[in-house]
Each structure stands twice: as C-alpha cells, then as structure tokens.
Amino acid sequence: MNLSRFTRAGSAVAVGVLALSLAACGSDPEPEGNASDTDAPGSSETNSGEEMGSISGTLSGGGASSQEAAMNAWRAGFQQANPDATVNYDPVGSGGGRTGFGDGSYAFAGSDAALDEDEIAAAEAQCGEGGVIEFPGYVSPVAVAFNLDGVDSLNMSPETIANVFLGEITSWDDEAIAADNPDVELPGTTITVVHRSDESGTTENFEEYLHTVAPDIWTAEPSGVWPVDGQESAQGTSGVVGAAQAGQGTITYADASQVGGLGTVAVGVGGEFVPYSAEAAAEVVAQSPRTEGTSDYVYTIELERDIAGTYPIVLVSYSLACTSYPDEETAELVKGFLGYVVSEEGQQASADAAGAAPLSDTIREAILPGIESISAG
Amino acid sequence: MSITDSPPRAGTRTARRRRSSDRGFNRGFRWIAVGAGVLILVVLAAVALFLLWQAWPALTAGGDELAAEVPRFPADTSFLGYVGPLVFGTLLAAVLALCLAVPVAIGIALFISHYSPRRLSQVLGYLVDLLAAIPSVVYGLWGFLVLAPVLTPFWLWLNENLSWIPLYGGQASTTGRAMATVGVVLAVMILPIITAVSREVFLQTPKLHEEAALALGATRWEVVRTAVLPFGRSGVISAAMLGLGRALGETMAVLMIISPGFSYSLDILAAGQHQTIAAYIAADFPESTGLGINTLIAAGLVLFVITLAVNMTARWIVARRKEFSGAN
Amino acid sequence: MSAATASTTTSDATERTRALLTTADSGRRRTDRAMQVLIWCAFALAMVPLVWLLWTVTTEGIGRMSIDFLTLSTRNIFGGDPGGGIYHAIMGTLIITGIAAAISVPVGILTAIYLVEYGKGWLARSVTFFVDVMTGIPSIVAGLFAFSLFALFLGPSAQMGMMGAVALSVLMIPVVVRSCEEMLKLVPNELREASYALGVPKWLTIVKVVLRTSVAGLTTGVLLSVARVIGETAPLLVTVGVTDSINFNPFDGRMMTLPVFSYRQYHQGYAPCPAGESASCVADIAFQNAWGAALVLIGIVLLLNLVGRLVNRWFSPKLR
C-alpha cells in the first residue's frame, strides 16, 4: 500500500488524457484542399450557378443505395460551393427512401424505380396536388463482367446472357457463346455466376432487362432479390466485383464504373453487339420515350431495351422532391442542391465519381422548370 | 477469464455477523450493491422482452403478409419455414468451427498448463487471449481478402478427390467464400475462450493425482491421459459449449466472407448454400423498413434463444462440476 | 498398458522382464514424444493466424498512416480521393465506448461487490449464473435490443451514439463483473478482518480497504473489458449508422466508429478513376482506408491489453 503506486497510476492516467486531448484537434478537411476542379461552379449558363455560395442549413434525404457514390460527389460539390450547407443522404434503400419521403422525414429521396400511382398519391399527400417532382438524376450503366484469362470482351446475345445467369449454360466453351465469338479461343472453364446477395436496384434492373429481352427464358418476375438459388453471391457492388476477381470463370453484373480489370460483355441489341460505354448508355436514355399521362414535373421514362446502337442495360435512378416546402431554408436547399445535381458540372461529377451516364441537354431542359418552381409556402 | 484461487468466503461470513454503528450507510451501500445485481437480471429480461415485443408483429403475421412485405421471404411458407435454413446455417457454421477448434484448443490448454516452461505460461496465455481481442471486422477483412484465396486450392482439391464424403460434395466455390472458410475463421475466433476455460480446469487437477501417476512411472503424456484429461472432461465439454455460443452469434466475419444462400445443404465447399442468422440480420437491417425490421428482430430472437440455451447448458455443467471439485 | 504383452517362452525371467520393460518404455516414450510434439504444434498452429493477421494488417495499413489520416474526417471526400481520414471514426469510437464504460463500470463493480461481499442465497446464485449466460449474448442481439428500446421512445428511424453505447454496455457489463469479481476475491480476508477489528463499518471497509487494495486489478479488468467491446461492429451497424462528418454529440444523429468505418470502406470497394491512377485518384483507396482503420483499431486494442496487464503486474500488491 505505498503511496507512490497511486501517483504512478495517476501519471499513467495523465498521459492518457494528454494523448486524448492531442487527438482532439482534428477537423473536417478544408474545402480548398482537394477540390480545385469543382471549386469554381460559377459557369453562368447553368441556372444553379447563380445561387451557389449563399445557401446554408442542413438538408436530409435518403433512399436508393445505388446513388450513394454519385450522391457523395454531389454532396461534396454542393457543400464546397456552399460551405454553410450540409446535405445528408441515408442509403436506406429505395423503399425506405419512398417511405421517408412520404412521411416527410426526407426532404428529397432517391428511388431506383419510378413511383407507381399509389406512391404518387402518397407523395402528393405530402407535397400537395401535382407538387411532386421526379426526374432521372442518376443513370448508371450496368456491365456484364467476367473474369477469364486472356479474354477482355465477349459478344453475347440476350438469350445467351439469360441462360448463363440461369445456370443453363455451364461452360465457357458452350456453343451458344462460341457462335457469337468466332475469333475468341474459349477455355472449357466452368461458369460461376456471382450475383448480389443484398436487395438491390441493380439486381432488379438487370432482371427487368433479362425479363424484357428474353421473356421465354427468364420467366421470373423482376424484384430486388435474385431468383436463382445456389449460386455464388456477395454483398454490394464491391462484393460481387471482388468475388468475380477472386475466382476463375466468374461472371457477374455490376455498376460499369466499378468492374475494374474484369472483361465486359458486348450486349446483343437490335441485331448488333454493343460494348458498354457511357455514351451508348446515355443514348438509350435519350432515345427512350417519356412516360405519358404524368403531371408536368414528373419526368419518368419508358426504357426501350432494343434500340440499335445503344447500350440497353442501364439503371435509371430517380430523384424525388416537392415543389413547395414549409420553410424557406429547406426550399432553398432542395432547389440549390437538385439544381446542382442536374447541372452539367453536377452530372460530370457523378460521371467521374460513379461512372454515371450524363443527362442529355433535352432531358435537362425538360426537368429544370420543375426544380425552378421549388418555393416555400 | 483470469487465474485465481477459490474465494475467501469464510471470512466474509464472520464479517457479516458483526454489527456496526452506522447502520444507515451500511444498509444503503448494501442496497446499492444488490440493486446493481438485480439490474443485471432486469437487463437480461429486458433484452428478451423488447426483442419479443418488436418481433411480435412478424411472429403473428401470416406467411402471405410477410412474403408481400419482406424481401427474400419465400412464398408459401410460415415464419418457421423461413427461419429454418438460417438456423441450420448458423448451427452448421458453429459446429464446423467447434470441430476444428476443440482439438487444437485442448492442445494449447495442455501446452500452457503442463508443457510450456513455467515462467512463460502466463505470457503464452495472453498471446492466445489476444486472438479474442482482435475485432471481428478485422477477421472479416483478413478472411475475405487474404485467407479465402489461400484456402481455395485446398478446398478444390478436397472437392475433387474426396467428394464422396457428404461434406465435400457439390460444386466447390472457386472463390473460397464458402462455409468451410467461415468455419476456419470462426474456429480461430473461438479458440481463446475454449483454451481459457480448459486451461483453468486442467490447472485444477489435483496435484496428488498427478504425483501418484508419476510415482507409478507414468510419462508426462500418461499423466495427462490418466489424471488430467479425465478430471477435466466436463470442463472441456462446457468450454466447447461456450465456444459454440460464441460461434453462433458471430456476425461480421461471416457477413464479410460467406456467399449466402438459404438451403439445408451439407456441401460446405459450395457457394450460395448457407447463411447465419446474425450475418443475415446485419446484411439486411440497413435497408429494411416496417415489417421487414420486425422479421429481422424475430430472427434475432430465435438466435438469442438458441445462444441462451447453449450458454445456460454450458454454465450449468460448469456449476454442477464446481460442487464436487473439492479434491484440492 | 502398451503393446508389450507378447511374451512367449524365454529362458531367463530377468531377461524377459528387462526386455519387457525396455520395449514397453520405448513405445511409451515414443507416444510421449509424439504427443509432446503434437501439443507444441497445437500452440504453434494457434500462433499462425495471430502472426499472419497482425502482419497483414500492419503491412497493408501502415501506408495510410499520416497526420492527415488521423486528424481529418471524410467529409467531402469521395471516389478515389486519397484525402481525408478517420478522425471522426476515432472520436466516435472513443465517445461511444467511453459512455458504454461509464454505464458498465459502476454497475459491474457494484455487482461484483455484491457477489463477493454480500452475496449468498438464490439471488446471488442466479446473478452469477445469468452474468455468465450474458457473456454469451451475440453482439447483434445486443444491437437489436438497443434498437428496440429506443424505437419505443423515438420511433424506428432513430440512430444515435447513445444507442450504440447502450448496446455495448449490455455486452460489457458481464465482462466487467466477471473480471472484477475475480480481483475482489483476491483481497485477503485478513485485511477485511483487521479493518472490522478497528471498528470500521462494512461499507467503509469495502470502499477504503477492499477497493483500495484491488484498484490495480479492477483497472486491468475494466481496460480489458473496454478492449473487448471497442472492436464491436454489428451492434453499432444497426444502432449508430454511418456518417462522414465529425459528430461529438452522442444524443443527436449518426456517428462513425472505427470498426464500422473499416467495414463501410471495404464495402465501398474499388473507386472508378476515369483518368487512370493519379495523385488525386487511387482506385483501391477504400481498401487502404479499411486496413488503415483496422490497424489503428488493433493498435488501440493491443495498447489497452498491454496497459491492462502491465498495470496489474506493476501496481498490484504482492499478495501471493
């Protein structure tokens, strides 16, 4: 029981406290530090540019996790231009986003599927009659990617793709694949299909594609959950890409921007094979018709999966907002933020960060009036 | 788990009889202490009650309603049919880990208690305990990015040459993200607890028994076999059950490694066959709403009941053993 | 006992006995040797993953270590941007674990006092039993419990640091009770009796003598139990959520923590770098971040373990 023991213990505590207080001098990164390219958003031809820099407050949105990477870029770009503003986005899934938007806990939301009539009605209860804004803010090409030694690109018809993912075609040198790829020497490796294990808009979209282009083969109704049992799967885009890279003869579908070193499939569409490219993906959105019979500010599209020369597997993810908000601050934030999202630099930011296909000018023209109309009251 | 002798109970009892002048303080302090003990019981009860309360909507909803609201809920089944494969996967992972871990853990425990140099034994014990200190998310990172690629060729070989053994059948995963890999990682994770408990028991072997064996000319291994192991048997069993409890509830490592599926398959080398309850909850929770959350909590309740049963059995064995281990 | 029963007719009894003994001995000695090797191997086998894991985490994570990494958050950092750091996660981990410790330590120590100094009868037995059972609660279940508890008051979309702290407390309390109980039992009765003999009341004896004597052991117990829960991921994933900004307020909004940060970064995967690899875009930055956070986390855990053991070794009274 000698006293020095306690003074020694005391000094140990003091050292700990000191270490903690030293650690307590961290901060959020300085805006100037690493954002020189997005720091000067004042290009005056975009409508949003003029309002930048003056907006403050906190804005909360949530929804589709597919938008997360793009949303990070948008939030960063917007927050750097408006240092007093903070935008939060909860990647809670499309369903959670629509629910949160409907009960008012999210001022804006992201959804991988366009709202159906019931959902529009629910949203209008929150926003007021005709007050819902919906537009395809994030268009992401989905690549069919594979890991096969020495093969970078393969041609596959929609039927072949469906059969491969169903597990009907089990070997890479199957005749169906060989017929479309006369110049490629295909190994006899077994095909391992890797799909998303979590519920995802990417999965739903890919299923929808297969169901549309090969309805006889892919009979399962599209949902966010993969319908084939007993296949390899992984969590999230990174998970499937990682798993595909780890195995030989694997094939998967993933956000095109993230497939890294994997080979990609040139998809058969309208009688030719179109390899993935952001331009070809943007083209399918530009050429698909707008859904008819919706209110002015609801811009949804009917995706056409067989327009020649376009890349048909794209995930169209929508942004939701209201035309009026109870308070001035939220209205300003939503208006400014969504204005930035659809602006050229906003779309470029998401293209760089998430490999999104930028919106065409025509679509932007059609969307902007809705965003412009956002006001308080 | 720390090393100690039996408690100095006798003295406490004599102390208890004494009366002291300031009864108020004494009583107050006593009640605070008792309150803390009771609080723990209350917390445990609260865990069960709150889970049950949140799980209730899912437990009472019909299969059709759940199928409509909850993603991945198969059509035409009840809640039991839905949670069944998850329970199977959970048990399979835990049992697999146990089979791999127990022999090694007994070896380590014997090493520390009877084979290692005396001075080092405590430090070596700490080293093994460090395995328990490593966060499970790190095990997940390591298991997926480092271990799985290393194990894959071995699994493929097993699949190719020994596929007549039911466990090694099916189509082996080419990425190593199968139940077998999970089993190995879980085994590493539960080694420390099995080792720690077994070590305690082995150290309690009556010295007289060991010395008697030595006097009969037994070698060191014979001492272990004839004196230490029989004495420690029930302790090892309960240690294994504690390890089982740990393995049942492990989340992150499973979540990050396994390629999930929902079936009653025994093919531990194949991908997309199994999923554990804990990993399933962690994977789906962030994107669930409404009844989906209730369903996940109901699955959590099932896990809670299973682990509770396993742990209670283990503790009961330990407690029963304590009563007649007065051989020291 | 061994295979040396094959004795037939030998002329000399002594010779026979000697032969029997020596052959038996060599057989037994071989078994003994073999088992010794096996048992050494078992220990070596356990060390393989430990060393391998620590080595991997160190080599993969050391590259990210810098002042910036430790003092910046990831606010406004996205894609392959190699800027930003884990400051918000470190702070979140410290705050949440700190609160969890603030809840668990008093409850745990008081329960240990109850069990050692007062406990007898069915209540003490059931507390002991259920504390043991509680050590086996799966961490995700603790997270679900905290979620359900707070959902009662705040609705199902609540996420904040406090919820994580409650979940961690559920996991931490039994560990604190167990280790503190052991430490209190080590205090020799002579000390208590001497105190009573001087007329010191029981509660004062506990506070001034028992706790005083075992303070080093209690510190060790607390540090080790903190080390046990600081790496928990699953309960925080369902209660605290994620954020990329610094949040010091455990009662409002999401917080980032080190294990969750590591998991999220791993989950994020490769970043697209349109212009190829460059100083401003590193494709595998998320994995580097994940390993970096893992290294910091392991560093904290090992430090807690080391300090805990050393405190006990240096400061505890030499009783035995």
Side-chain angles (χ1 to χ4, degrees), chain B residues 145-306:
Chain B
L145 296 171
V146 180
L147 185 65
V150 173
L151 287 177
T152 306
F154 180 60
W155 297 149
L156 289 175
W157 181 85
L158 279 183
N159 181 238
E160 222 161 84
N161 298 296
L162 296 172
S163 59
W164 48 271
I165 301 176
L167 284 179
Y168 302 145
Q171 172 74 47
S173 163
T174 53
T175 58
R177 299 171 53 253
M179 191 49 104
T181 309
V182 172
V184 172
V185 174
L186 285 185
V188 175
M189 297 178 78
I190 62 174
L191 264 186
I193 178 127
I194 306 182
T195 306
V197 177
S198 314
R199 189 180 66 198
E200 292 297 304
V201 180
F202 292 156
L203 282 174
Q204 282 174 20
T205 314
K207 273 277 159 301
L208 283 178
H209 292 195
E210 287 179 36
E211 282 160 9
L214 281 174
L216 290 173
T219 60
R220 185 146 56 165
W221 166 243
E222 282 160 0
V223 171
V224 168
R225 212 189 58 188
T226 54
V228 179
L229 287 183
F231 178 82
R233 191 186 298 131
S234 67
V236 171
I237 291 173
S238 70
M241 294 200 69
L242 291 179
L244 186 69
R246 277 284 151 80
L248 287 170
E250 178 44 45
T251 313
M252 296 314 289
V254 183
L255 173 67
M256 291 164 87
I257 295 170
I258 204 166
S259 160
F262 303 88
S263 73
Y264 292 102
S265 156
L266 273 177
D267 305 337
I268 58 168
L269 299 179
Q273 305 294 328
H274 315 101
Q275 172 72 307
T276 71
I277 296 179
Y280 175 72
I281 296 172
D284 276 24
F285 200 87
E287 298 206 0
S288 291
T289 45
L291 201 55
I293 287 187
N294 297 130
T295 314
L296 290 180
I297 292 182
L301 184 66
V302 173
L303 175 66
F304 178 65
V305 171
I306 296 175

Side-chain angles (χ1 to χ4, degrees), chain C:
Chain C
M1 201 168 263
S2 66
T5 45
S7 64
T8 44
T9 51
T10 327
S11 54
D12 194 349
T14 340
E15 273 306 306
R16 196 179 60 196
T17 316
R18 181 171 296 154
L20 189 104
L21 274 177
T22 46
T23 51
D25 235 3
S26 75
R28 286 166 57 204
R29 194 155 290 161
R30 261 202 301 278
T31 328
D32 189 45
R33 274 286 146 75
M35 289 318 294
Q36 184 165 7
V37 170
L38 264 184
I39 282 169
W40 275 82
C41 282
F43 182 77
L45 195 63
M47 288 300 106
V48 168
L50 183 67
V51 172
W52 190 0
L53 218 151
L54 292 179
W55 171 253
T56 312
V57 174
T58 311
T59 49
E60 299 273 346
I62 201 83
R64 272 303 275 162
M65 288 305 127
S66 67
I67 297 296
D68 275 2
F69 189 65
L70 295 175
T71 57
L72 294 178
S73 73
T74 48
R75 184 177 156 91
N76 294 351
I77 302 291
F78 61 92
D81 190 338
I86 55 171
Y87 178 72
H88 58 316
I90 297 177
M91 277 339 219
T93 289
L94 292 182
I95 290 171
I96 291 175
T97 321
I99 296 175
I103 299 172
S104 318
V105 170
V107 175
I109 291 186
L110 281 171
T111 308
I113 289 176
Y114 164 69
L115 289 176
V116 175
E117 305 291 334
Y118 296 100
K120 71 173 192 190
W122 65 272
L123 183 63
R125 270 204 306 278
S126 54
V127 169
T128 312
F129 182 74
F130 282 107
V131 162
D132 284 342
V133 169
M134 224 170 140
T135 55
I137 289 186
S139 58
I140 185 102
V141 170
L144 292 179
F145 160 68
F147 170 83
S148 311
L149 181 67
F150 280 78
L152 179 65
F153 304 110
L154 303 168
S157 57
Q159 285 195 317
M160 57 184 189
M162 196 60 204
M163 294 168 69
V166 168
L168 291 189
S169 311
V170 172
L171 298 169
M172 194 171 162
I173 288 174
V175 186
V176 177
V177 175
R178 288 300 294 167
S179 49
C180 291
E181 200 187 343
E182 304 289 348
M183 294 308 161
L184 293 181
K185 281 176 184 170
L186 286 179
V187 177
N189 265 319
E190 289 81 354
L191 285 183
R192 292 188 183 90
E193 281 158 6
S195 172
Y196 295 143
L198 292 172
V200 181
K202 180 161 185 175
W203 72 275
L204 212 55
T205 305
I206 294 171
V207 174
K208 291 277 183 188
V209 177
V210 178
L211 290 185
R212 225 30 194 302
T213 316
S214 54
V215 68
L218 296 182
T219 315
T220 302
V222 168
L223 286 176
L224 293 187
S225 53
V226 168
R228 194 66 160 278
V229 296
I230 204 168
E232 284 296 347
T233 318
L236 299 179
L237 212 54
V238 300
T239 55
V240 183
V242 295
T243 176
D244 51 13
S245 302
I246 299 168
N247 177 9
F248 289 123
N249 184 354
F251 294 97
D252 181 37
R254 293 124 189 268
M255 287 175 111
M256 190 51 111
T257 49
L258 277 174
V260 176
F261 177 83
S262 186
Y263 171 67
R264 288 294 303 177
Q265 290 289 320
Y266 152 84
H267 198 268
Q268 195 173 315
Y270 290 98
C273 285
E277 292 271 318
S278 68
S280 66
C281 187
V282 182
D284 65 345
I285 190 68
F287 288 114
Q288 290 187 26
N289 282 337
W291 285 116
L295 179 60
V296 172
L297 186 59
I298 284 202
I300 294 177
V301 170
L302 292 189
L303 195 70
L304 282 170
N305 267 282
L306 193 69
V307 171
R309 307 284 189 205
L310 290 183
V311 162
N312 201 18
R313 175 159 285 200
W314 288 345
F315 298 128
S316 66
K318 302 287 173 281
L319 294 170
R320 287 196 286 174

Side-chain angles (χ1 to χ4, degrees), chain A residues 276-298:
Chain A
Y276 150 73
S277 69
E279 294 75 31
E283 204 52 33
V284 73
V285 177
Q287 293 193 21
S288 293
R290 178 176 174 175
T291 314
E292 287 170 11
T294 58
S295 64
D296 285 353
Y297 298 148
V298 173

